[in-house]
Amino acid sequence: EIYGGLNGFWDYGPMGAELKRNLRDTWWQTMTRDRDDVVGLDASIIMHPTVWTASGHVDTFSDPMSTCKHCKKLVRSDQWWAMMAEQNWTQSIAELIEPGTNRFQPAVLLKWGKGKGKQLAPNLALVRNPDVTISWVAEEIEKGRGPADATELYKFLATEQMAITGLVTPCPHCGGELTAPRPFNLMFRSHYGPVESEDNICYLRPETAQAIFVQFKNVLDSSRVKVPFGIAQIGKAFRNEITPRNYTFRSREFEQMELEFFIRPDDAVRLIHGQVEKWREGADLSATSPAWGWEMWHRYWVDQRTKYYDSVGLGTDVLDYHWQKPEELAHYARATVDILFKFPFGTEELEGIAARGDFDLSQHQKFSGKQLEVFDEELKAAVDKLSDEQKKEFIDKLFEDRKCADTTREESAAYADKLFKGFYLPHVIEPSAGLDRMALAVLAAAFDEETVTDEKGKAETRTVLRLHPRIAPVKCAIFPLLKNRPELVAKAREVEASLRRHMNIFYDEAGAIGRRYRRQDEIG
Ligand code: ATP
């Protein structure tokens, strides 16, 4: 702050550090220590660069970006309308439009362009060239081609030479013209070692998940785990977001808490159990079953994560769910649910829970040339009991199921052959949460104001953070009633000493007792 700050990077002070640590600990406790089927990992932030080629991040981890031709600011193209709604200049123009319509008086807009608009949106065509722009708009309206809604009105006001350029989208910052969107890779790049060359490029990880995939075989071979099991990791991730916004909701350095839960492919489940348990409304998710297919595991993790949020004070009243439609899904995902939180600035993603098939492991197997398949004894034992006829039936069904994915009979047979030998690449369910977003959500949910009347009858509004005790930065505050009574102070100090080793506590003897309570209410 003393240097003006850096957009998209945030520090947490004493209370925030405690709050965040508590959240991190509750996640770790719930996701690993409370379970016997999940283990932890703590991988490095900078990994072998090929990890990011294999994962697809080098080629495709990008957002569309436009540059303002006037103020030179960069804008994320798929978010410019959301940003526009927050701008003073659009809000100011909106006040000039007849409510609920796109109608306005040209003279009123012209006056705005020559006056107020100069400060609010200096590069809007209406401001730079008011008479020409407004006459264009008036002419278009006369021809019946006027703005259809407020969004289009802003485009009209941003466009000077409509006949030549077509409507342009205005820069949210200054109203100027934006360039066409182009992909911008979000990974921070650096170099390892003393020489900066193309041969020693490395990246700050944009997610923690890939380390779990590349260490999958190591963990499997060195821990007493077998599929289904999970690997969890908490750590920093970095994305060079084009437009970091809404405090810690979208920042450039943030912390992720991710689990990769590895499961048997449905085909292996079918070979072992003769059937695959699929999701149906009302299915029991309280106890897992070996016959579950990926759909059940996916639903199970949505349920688990919902229970977790409830345990830190984010109940279903403040959450929402977005089941991605087929056209929204990443090409490798079979299903993705976003758990959303009702932030003051809109209902936005808190966590994504994706069923990713075997995409990641198969990519790393391909790029590294190392076998990442697991050998499943139960599968081998089940297959050994099958007759040749049953095996053939299995391959036929496999081929039928996969035909729509353009898989040939030979490919189906080769895949079945691996399964018959007991080998497969596990599929994965990935609950991926952001710690900083969660901290922001918790603060937003806990924030309250109460109006109280003091002894003199004066009304006062006070801030209260109603944080869940599990995550509250301070668990207990100890106040001697009077600081000039040694026996009271001694007792209070004794209580303090007995608690300090067990929890974060706060000792305070200064000021009126009411004020000391209030300070604690304020920090939750
Ligand atoms: P968005 O669509 O909001 O950019 P995403 O779908 O790209 O998010 P994921 O890649 O699924 O996000 O990352 C998992 C989680 O990490 C998100 O649900 C969010 O909580 C957190 N996260 C992602 N990007 C950021 C960021 N820039 N700042 C803070 N948290 C983030």
Short mmCIF file of all heavy atoms in Angstrom, two decimals, residues 291-331:
data_model
loop_
_atom_site.label_atom_id
_atom_site.label_comp_id
_atom_site.label_asym_id
_atom_site.label_seq_id
_atom_site.Cartn_x
_atom_site.Cartn_y
_atom_site.Cartn_z
N ALA A 291 -19.93 -50.53 -6.06
CA ALA A 291 -20.58 -50.65 -7.38
C ALA A 291 -20.92 -49.30 -7.99
O ALA A 291 -21.49 -49.23 -9.08
CB ALA A 291 -21.84 -51.50 -7.25
N TRP A 292 -20.56 -48.20 -7.31
CA TRP A 292 -20.88 -46.87 -7.84
C TRP A 292 -20.12 -46.59 -9.15
O TRP A 292 -18.93 -46.86 -9.25
CB TRP A 292 -20.46 -45.79 -6.85
CG TRP A 292 -21.50 -45.50 -5.79
CD1 TRP A 292 -22.67 -46.17 -5.59
CD2 TRP A 292 -21.43 -44.46 -4.81
NE1 TRP A 292 -23.35 -45.62 -4.54
CE2 TRP A 292 -22.61 -44.57 -4.03
CE3 TRP A 292 -20.51 -43.48 -4.50
CZ2 TRP A 292 -22.88 -43.71 -2.97
CZ3 TRP A 292 -20.77 -42.62 -3.44
CH2 TRP A 292 -21.95 -42.74 -2.69
N GLY A 293 -20.84 -45.99 -10.08
CA GLY A 293 -20.21 -45.47 -11.28
C GLY A 293 -19.85 -44.01 -11.05
O GLY A 293 -20.10 -43.46 -9.97
N TRP A 294 -19.27 -43.36 -12.07
CA TRP A 294 -18.77 -41.99 -11.88
C TRP A 294 -19.88 -41.01 -11.50
O TRP A 294 -19.64 -40.08 -10.73
CB TRP A 294 -18.03 -41.49 -13.12
CG TRP A 294 -18.89 -41.23 -14.32
CD1 TRP A 294 -19.16 -42.08 -15.35
CD2 TRP A 294 -19.60 -40.01 -14.63
NE1 TRP A 294 -20.00 -41.50 -16.26
CE2 TRP A 294 -20.28 -40.23 -15.85
CE3 TRP A 294 -19.74 -38.79 -14.00
CZ2 TRP A 294 -21.08 -39.25 -16.45
CZ3 TRP A 294 -20.54 -37.81 -14.59
CH2 TRP A 294 -21.20 -38.05 -15.81
N GLU A 295 -21.10 -41.25 -12.01
CA GLU A 295 -22.18 -40.30 -11.71
C GLU A 295 -22.47 -40.25 -10.22
O GLU A 295 -22.70 -39.18 -9.65
CB GLU A 295 -23.47 -40.75 -12.40
CG GLU A 295 -23.60 -40.34 -13.83
CD GLU A 295 -24.92 -40.83 -14.38
OE1 GLU A 295 -25.96 -40.24 -14.07
OE2 GLU A 295 -24.90 -41.85 -15.09
N MET A 296 -22.46 -41.43 -9.59
CA MET A 296 -22.72 -41.49 -8.15
C MET A 296 -21.60 -40.80 -7.38
O MET A 296 -21.84 -40.04 -6.44
CB MET A 296 -22.86 -42.94 -7.68
CG MET A 296 -24.16 -43.59 -8.08
SD MET A 296 -25.60 -42.75 -7.35
CE MET A 296 -25.56 -43.35 -5.67
N TRP A 297 -20.35 -41.06 -7.79
CA TRP A 297 -19.22 -40.41 -7.12
C TRP A 297 -19.28 -38.90 -7.26
O TRP A 297 -18.98 -38.15 -6.34
CB TRP A 297 -17.89 -40.95 -7.67
CG TRP A 297 -17.50 -42.27 -7.09
CD1 TRP A 297 -17.44 -43.47 -7.75
CD2 TRP A 297 -17.09 -42.54 -5.74
NE1 TRP A 297 -17.04 -44.46 -6.90
CE2 TRP A 297 -16.82 -43.91 -5.65
CE3 TRP A 297 -16.96 -41.74 -4.60
CZ2 TRP A 297 -16.40 -44.52 -4.46
CZ3 TRP A 297 -16.54 -42.34 -3.42
CH2 TRP A 297 -16.27 -43.71 -3.36
N HIS A 298 -19.69 -38.47 -8.44
CA HIS A 298 -19.78 -37.03 -8.68
C HIS A 298 -20.83 -36.41 -7.75
O HIS A 298 -20.57 -35.41 -7.07
CB HIS A 298 -20.14 -36.80 -10.16
CG HIS A 298 -20.07 -35.37 -10.57
ND1 HIS A 298 -21.05 -34.75 -11.31
CD2 HIS A 298 -19.14 -34.41 -10.33
CE1 HIS A 298 -20.73 -33.49 -11.50
NE2 HIS A 298 -19.57 -33.25 -10.93
N ARG A 299 -22.01 -37.03 -7.70
CA ARG A 299 -23.08 -36.54 -6.82
C ARG A 299 -22.63 -36.59 -5.36
O ARG A 299 -22.95 -35.70 -4.57
CB ARG A 299 -24.34 -37.39 -6.97
CG ARG A 299 -24.97 -37.29 -8.33
CD ARG A 299 -25.75 -36.03 -8.45
NE ARG A 299 -26.31 -35.93 -9.78
CZ ARG A 299 -27.35 -35.16 -10.08
NH1 ARG A 299 -27.92 -34.41 -9.16
NH2 ARG A 299 -27.80 -35.11 -11.31
N TYR A 300 -21.92 -37.65 -5.03
CA TYR A 300 -21.45 -37.82 -3.66
C TYR A 300 -20.58 -36.63 -3.26
O TYR A 300 -20.73 -36.05 -2.18
CB TYR A 300 -20.65 -39.12 -3.57
CG TYR A 300 -19.83 -39.28 -2.31
CD1 TYR A 300 -20.42 -39.69 -1.11
CD2 TYR A 300 -18.46 -39.03 -2.31
CE1 TYR A 300 -19.67 -39.83 0.05
CE2 TYR A 300 -17.69 -39.18 -1.16
CZ TYR A 300 -18.30 -39.57 0.02
OH TYR A 300 -17.56 -39.71 1.16
N TRP A 301 -19.66 -36.24 -4.17
CA TRP A 301 -18.76 -35.15 -3.81
C TRP A 301 -19.48 -33.80 -3.75
O TRP A 301 -19.14 -32.94 -2.95
CB TRP A 301 -17.52 -35.12 -4.72
CG TRP A 301 -16.52 -36.10 -4.21
CD1 TRP A 301 -16.16 -37.29 -4.79
CD2 TRP A 301 -15.80 -36.03 -2.97
NE1 TRP A 301 -15.26 -37.96 -3.98
CE2 TRP A 301 -15.02 -37.21 -2.86
CE3 TRP A 301 -15.74 -35.10 -1.94
CZ2 TRP A 301 -14.18 -37.46 -1.77
CZ3 TRP A 301 -14.92 -35.34 -0.85
CH2 TRP A 301 -14.15 -36.51 -0.77
N VAL A 302 -20.50 -33.61 -4.57
CA VAL A 302 -21.30 -32.38 -4.48
C VAL A 302 -21.96 -32.34 -3.10
O VAL A 302 -21.97 -31.31 -2.41
CB VAL A 302 -22.36 -32.31 -5.60
CG1 VAL A 302 -23.24 -31.07 -5.44
CG2 VAL A 302 -21.70 -32.32 -6.98
N ASP A 303 -22.46 -33.48 -2.67
CA ASP A 303 -23.11 -33.58 -1.37
C ASP A 303 -22.11 -33.35 -0.23
O ASP A 303 -22.38 -32.60 0.72
CB ASP A 303 -23.74 -34.99 -1.27
CG ASP A 303 -24.53 -35.16 0.00
OD1 ASP A 303 -25.43 -34.34 0.24
OD2 ASP A 303 -24.25 -36.11 0.77
N GLN A 304 -20.94 -33.96 -0.34
CA GLN A 304 -19.90 -33.78 0.69
C GLN A 304 -19.49 -32.33 0.82
O GLN A 304 -19.32 -31.80 1.90
CB GLN A 304 -18.65 -34.62 0.33
CG GLN A 304 -18.84 -36.11 0.48
CD GLN A 304 -18.99 -36.51 1.94
OE1 GLN A 304 -18.15 -36.22 2.76
NE2 GLN A 304 -20.09 -37.15 2.26
N ARG A 305 -19.31 -31.71 -0.33
CA ARG A 305 -18.85 -30.32 -0.31
C ARG A 305 -19.93 -29.39 0.23
O ARG A 305 -19.63 -28.42 0.91
CB ARG A 305 -18.42 -29.88 -1.73
CG ARG A 305 -17.24 -30.66 -2.28
CD ARG A 305 -16.01 -30.54 -1.43
NE ARG A 305 -15.62 -29.15 -1.30
CZ ARG A 305 -15.13 -28.60 -0.20
NH1 ARG A 305 -14.95 -29.33 0.89
NH2 ARG A 305 -14.80 -27.32 -0.17
N THR A 306 -21.18 -29.70 -0.06
CA THR A 306 -22.29 -28.90 0.48
C THR A 306 -22.30 -29.00 2.00
O THR A 306 -22.47 -27.99 2.70
CB THR A 306 -23.62 -29.40 -0.11
OG1 THR A 306 -23.54 -29.30 -1.52
CG2 THR A 306 -24.80 -28.58 0.39
N LYS A 307 -22.08 -30.21 2.51
CA LYS A 307 -22.05 -30.40 3.97
C LYS A 307 -20.87 -29.63 4.57
O LYS A 307 -20.98 -29.06 5.65
CB LYS A 307 -21.92 -31.89 4.30
CG LYS A 307 -23.21 -32.64 3.99
CD LYS A 307 -23.16 -34.06 4.50
CE LYS A 307 -24.52 -34.73 4.31
NZ LYS A 307 -24.45 -35.94 3.52
N TYR A 308 -19.76 -29.64 3.86
CA TYR A 308 -18.60 -28.90 4.36
C TYR A 308 -18.94 -27.41 4.49
O TYR A 308 -18.67 -26.78 5.51
CB TYR A 308 -17.38 -29.09 3.44
CG TYR A 308 -16.31 -28.06 3.74
CD1 TYR A 308 -15.45 -28.25 4.82
CD2 TYR A 308 -16.20 -26.89 3.01
CE1 TYR A 308 -14.50 -27.28 5.15
CE2 TYR A 308 -15.26 -25.93 3.32
CZ TYR A 308 -14.41 -26.12 4.39
OH TYR A 308 -13.49 -25.17 4.72
N TYR A 309 -19.51 -26.85 3.43
CA TYR A 309 -19.82 -25.41 3.47
C TYR A 309 -20.75 -25.10 4.63
O TYR A 309 -20.59 -24.09 5.32
CB TYR A 309 -20.42 -24.95 2.13
CG TYR A 309 -19.35 -24.77 1.07
CD1 TYR A 309 -19.30 -25.57 -0.06
CD2 TYR A 309 -18.36 -23.80 1.23
CE1 TYR A 309 -18.29 -25.43 -1.00
CE2 TYR A 309 -17.35 -23.65 0.30
CZ TYR A 309 -17.32 -24.46 -0.82
OH TYR A 309 -16.31 -24.31 -1.73
N ASP A 310 -21.70 -25.98 4.85
CA ASP A 310 -22.62 -25.78 5.97
C ASP A 310 -21.84 -25.75 7.29
O ASP A 310 -22.15 -24.97 8.18
CB ASP A 310 -23.67 -26.90 5.96
CG ASP A 310 -24.81 -26.58 6.89
OD1 ASP A 310 -25.33 -25.45 6.82
OD2 ASP A 310 -25.15 -27.43 7.74
N SER A 311 -20.80 -26.57 7.37
CA SER A 311 -20.04 -26.67 8.63
C SER A 311 -19.19 -25.43 8.92
O SER A 311 -18.66 -25.28 10.01
CB SER A 311 -19.15 -27.92 8.61
OG SER A 311 -17.99 -27.66 7.85
N VAL A 312 -19.04 -24.55 7.91
CA VAL A 312 -18.32 -23.30 8.17
C VAL A 312 -19.25 -22.09 8.07
O VAL A 312 -18.81 -20.96 7.93
CB VAL A 312 -17.08 -23.11 7.24
CG1 VAL A 312 -16.02 -24.15 7.53
CG2 VAL A 312 -17.47 -23.12 5.76
N GLY A 313 -20.53 -22.36 8.12
CA GLY A 313 -21.49 -21.26 8.17
C GLY A 313 -22.07 -20.84 6.83
O GLY A 313 -22.75 -19.83 6.75
N LEU A 314 -21.79 -21.58 5.76
CA LEU A 314 -22.37 -21.23 4.46
C LEU A 314 -23.43 -22.29 4.12
O LEU A 314 -23.13 -23.32 3.50
CB LEU A 314 -21.30 -21.17 3.36
CG LEU A 314 -20.16 -20.17 3.59
CD1 LEU A 314 -19.15 -20.22 2.46
CD2 LEU A 314 -20.68 -18.74 3.75
N GLY A 315 -24.64 -22.03 4.58
CA GLY A 315 -25.74 -22.99 4.36
C GLY A 315 -26.32 -22.87 2.97
O GLY A 315 -25.94 -21.99 2.19
N THR A 316 -27.29 -23.74 2.68
CA THR A 316 -27.86 -23.74 1.32
C THR A 316 -28.65 -22.46 1.03
O THR A 316 -28.97 -22.18 -0.12
CB THR A 316 -28.76 -24.98 1.10
OG1 THR A 316 -29.55 -25.16 2.26
CG2 THR A 316 -27.95 -26.23 0.84
N ASP A 317 -28.95 -21.67 2.08
CA ASP A 317 -29.64 -20.39 1.82
C ASP A 317 -28.74 -19.39 1.11
O ASP A 317 -29.24 -18.49 0.42
CB ASP A 317 -30.16 -19.80 3.15
CG ASP A 317 -29.05 -19.67 4.18
OD1 ASP A 317 -28.15 -20.54 4.21
OD2 ASP A 317 -29.06 -18.69 4.96
N VAL A 318 -27.42 -19.53 1.25
CA VAL A 318 -26.52 -18.58 0.57
C VAL A 318 -25.79 -19.22 -0.62
O VAL A 318 -25.00 -18.57 -1.28
CB VAL A 318 -25.49 -17.96 1.54
CG1 VAL A 318 -26.16 -17.01 2.51
CG2 VAL A 318 -24.70 -19.03 2.29
N LEU A 319 -26.05 -20.51 -0.85
CA LEU A 319 -25.39 -21.20 -1.97
C LEU A 319 -26.38 -21.42 -3.11
O LEU A 319 -27.58 -21.35 -2.94
CB LEU A 319 -24.85 -22.56 -1.52
CG LEU A 319 -23.80 -22.59 -0.42
CD1 LEU A 319 -23.37 -24.02 -0.15
CD2 LEU A 319 -22.59 -21.74 -0.78
N ASP A 320 -25.81 -21.70 -4.26
CA ASP A 320 -26.62 -22.08 -5.41
C ASP A 320 -25.78 -23.06 -6.24
O ASP A 320 -24.58 -23.20 -5.99
CB ASP A 320 -26.98 -20.83 -6.23
CG ASP A 320 -28.32 -21.00 -6.92
OD1 ASP A 320 -28.79 -22.15 -7.02
OD2 ASP A 320 -28.89 -19.98 -7.38
N TYR A 321 -26.40 -23.70 -7.21
CA TYR A 321 -25.68 -24.70 -8.01
C TYR A 321 -25.91 -24.42 -9.48
O TYR A 321 -27.02 -24.13 -9.88
CB TYR A 321 -26.16 -26.12 -7.68
CG TYR A 321 -25.93 -26.47 -6.23
CD1 TYR A 321 -26.83 -26.09 -5.26
CD2 TYR A 321 -24.78 -27.16 -5.85
CE1 TYR A 321 -26.61 -26.38 -3.93
CE2 TYR A 321 -24.55 -27.45 -4.52
CZ TYR A 321 -25.47 -27.06 -3.56
OH TYR A 321 -25.24 -27.33 -2.25
N HIS A 322 -24.85 -24.52 -10.23
CA HIS A 322 -25.00 -24.41 -11.69
C HIS A 322 -24.47 -25.68 -12.33
O HIS A 322 -23.28 -25.96 -12.28
CB HIS A 322 -24.25 -23.18 -12.20
CG HIS A 322 -24.23 -23.10 -13.70
ND1 HIS A 322 -25.36 -22.90 -14.45
CD2 HIS A 322 -23.21 -23.23 -14.60
CE1 HIS A 322 -25.05 -22.90 -15.73
NE2 HIS A 322 -23.75 -23.10 -15.85
N TRP A 323 -25.38 -26.47 -12.88
CA TRP A 323 -24.97 -27.68 -13.61
C TRP A 323 -24.67 -27.25 -15.03
O TRP A 323 -25.55 -26.80 -15.75
CB TRP A 323 -26.10 -28.73 -13.59
CG TRP A 323 -26.24 -29.37 -12.25
CD1 TRP A 323 -26.91 -28.87 -11.17
CD2 TRP A 323 -25.64 -30.60 -11.83
NE1 TRP A 323 -26.77 -29.73 -10.10
CE2 TRP A 323 -26.01 -30.80 -10.47
CE3 TRP A 323 -24.85 -31.56 -12.45
CZ2 TRP A 323 -25.60 -31.92 -9.74
CZ3 TRP A 323 -24.45 -32.67 -11.72
CH2 TRP A 323 -24.82 -32.84 -10.38
N GLN A 324 -23.41 -27.35 -15.40
CA GLN A 324 -23.03 -26.87 -16.74
C GLN A 324 -23.78 -27.66 -17.82
O GLN A 324 -23.92 -28.88 -17.72
CB GLN A 324 -21.52 -26.99 -16.94
CG GLN A 324 -20.77 -25.97 -16.10
CD GLN A 324 -19.29 -25.89 -16.45
OE1 GLN A 324 -18.82 -26.46 -17.43
NE2 GLN A 324 -18.55 -25.17 -15.63
N LYS A 325 -24.23 -26.91 -18.83
CA LYS A 325 -24.93 -27.55 -19.95
C LYS A 325 -23.89 -28.20 -20.86
O LYS A 325 -22.71 -27.79 -20.84
CB LYS A 325 -25.71 -26.50 -20.74
CG LYS A 325 -26.77 -25.82 -19.89
CD LYS A 325 -27.64 -24.92 -20.76
CE LYS A 325 -28.48 -24.01 -19.90
NZ LYS A 325 -27.72 -22.89 -19.31
N PRO A 326 -24.31 -29.19 -21.67
CA PRO A 326 -23.31 -29.88 -22.53
C PRO A 326 -22.43 -28.93 -23.31
O PRO A 326 -21.22 -29.13 -23.43
CB PRO A 326 -24.18 -30.73 -23.45
CG PRO A 326 -25.45 -30.94 -22.68
CD PRO A 326 -25.65 -29.74 -21.81
N GLU A 327 -23.02 -27.82 -23.81
CA GLU A 327 -22.22 -26.90 -24.62
C GLU A 327 -21.24 -26.08 -23.79
O GLU A 327 -20.29 -25.49 -24.32
CB GLU A 327 -23.11 -26.00 -25.50
CG GLU A 327 -24.02 -25.04 -24.76
CD GLU A 327 -25.39 -25.64 -24.38
OE1 GLU A 327 -25.51 -26.88 -24.35
OE2 GLU A 327 -26.31 -24.86 -24.10
N GLU A 328 -21.43 -26.03 -22.47
CA GLU A 328 -20.51 -25.27 -21.61
C GLU A 328 -19.33 -26.12 -21.15
O GLU A 328 -18.31 -25.59 -20.70
CB GLU A 328 -21.24 -24.79 -20.34
CG GLU A 328 -22.30 -23.75 -20.54
CD GLU A 328 -23.03 -23.47 -19.23
OE1 GLU A 328 -22.52 -22.70 -18.41
OE2 GLU A 328 -24.11 -24.07 -19.02
N LEU A 329 -19.50 -27.44 -21.21
CA LEU A 329 -18.50 -28.34 -20.63
C LEU A 329 -17.17 -28.30 -21.38
O LEU A 329 -17.16 -28.19 -22.61
CB LEU A 329 -19.00 -29.78 -20.67
CG LEU A 329 -20.11 -30.18 -19.69
CD1 LEU A 329 -20.54 -31.62 -19.97
CD2 LEU A 329 -19.61 -30.04 -18.25
N ALA A 330 -16.07 -28.39 -20.63
CA ALA A 330 -14.76 -28.57 -21.26
C ALA A 330 -14.81 -29.91 -22.01
O ALA A 330 -15.54 -30.82 -21.60
CB ALA A 330 -13.68 -28.59 -20.20
N HIS A 331 -14.03 -30.03 -23.09
CA HIS A 331 -14.18 -31.21 -23.96
C HIS A 331 -13.94 -32.52 -23.23
O HIS A 331 -14.49 -33.55 -23.58
CB HIS A 331 -13.27 -31.09 -25.18
CG HIS A 331 -11.81 -31.14 -24.85
ND1 HIS A 331 -11.10 -32.30 -24.85
CD2 HIS A 331 -10.95 -30.17 -24.47
CE1 HIS A 331 -9.86 -32.04 -24.49
NE2 HIS A 331 -9.74 -30.74 -24.25
#
